[in-house]
Amino acid sequence: MKQLIAWSSRMILIVSAIYVSTFGLIWFFRPARALASGALLGGLISLYNIFHLALRLRIAGLRARSGLRPAGLHSIIRILTVVFGTLLVYRFRARIDYHSFVLSLLFGYLLLVPVISFYYLRKGSTKSSDEGRDTLGSDSESEVSRNDV
């Protein structure tokens, strides 16, 4: 599990650096400045929410493993960051496009799906053909199957 968290965090940081640098470069072009500002603000808030959720899940897991009272996931903090971004968009509506802000709020969550899927697909392709037969259900002589059926 630690390997998955380390690898996925590294990949998300790489992809988010590419995302921020791309929209940062677009922001320097005058006609698309509002569009890029909205995408940058929404993307950064989304990435903050993803990393904050990962941190809180790690803390909650450590507290549960040690037998202490479970820690909260601070959902209110993540909601308030989106509200803060919405207030910024409302205050500076001439400089920040709200369409790109709203669409880019999903960036971090949609980034998790291909990163985790790619990790498991890559991990699955390195297995030999005999590994995982019981979990995939391809073994016809398991203790679950019956000869009389």
Side-chain angles (χ1 to χ4, degrees), residues 4-20 46-48 50-51 54 107-116:
L4 168 66
I5 292 172
W7 187 85
S8 62
S9 295
R10 194 173 0 176
M11 286 302 295
I12 289 174
L13 277 175
I14 290 170
V15 172
S16 62
I18 293 170
Y19 177 85
V20 168
S46 178
L47 289 170
Y48 168 77
I50 289 297
F51 283 114
F107 171 70
Y109 298 103
L110 293 178
L111 179 63
L112 280 176
V113 174
V115 166
I116 301 298

Side-chain angles (χ1 to χ4, degrees), residues 43-82:
L44 289 174
I45 287 174
S46 178
L47 289 170
Y48 168 77
N49 284 340
I50 289 297
F51 283 114
H52 186 259
L53 181 62
L55 174 73
R56 296 306 302 176
L57 283 172
R58 188 175 300 143
I59 290 171
L62 289 174
R63 288 182 62 100
R65 190 178 306 143
S66 67
L68 297 172
R69 200 187 86 177
L73 297 179
H74 289 193
S75 297
I76 298 297
I77 302 294
R78 293 192 310 274
I79 292 169
L80 286 176
T81 58
V82 174

Side-chain angles (χ1 to χ4, degrees), residues 1 17 20 36 40 57 78 88 95 108 120 122 128 143-144 146-147:
M1 189 68 174
V20 168
L40 268 174
L57 283 172
R78 293 192 310 274
L88 282 176
R95 295 184 180 168
Y120 280 113
R122 189 182 63 135
S128 68
E143 64 271 358
V144 178
R146 294 176 30 196
N147 293 333

Side-chain angles (χ1 to χ4, degrees), residues 95-114:
R95 295 184 180 168
I96 302 173
D97 182 36
Y98 71 91
H99 294 102
S100 61
F101 170 73
V102 170
L103 287 176
S104 64
L105 281 175
L106 298 173
F107 171 70
Y109 298 103
L110 293 178
L111 179 63
L112 280 176
V113 174

Side-chain angles (χ1 to χ4, degrees), residues 18-36:
I18 293 170
Y19 177 85
V20 168
S21 62
T22 300
F23 281 104
L25 288 174
I26 291 173
W27 185 77
F28 284 115
F29 299 121
R30 194 72 178 140
R33 188 169 274 191
L35 181 76

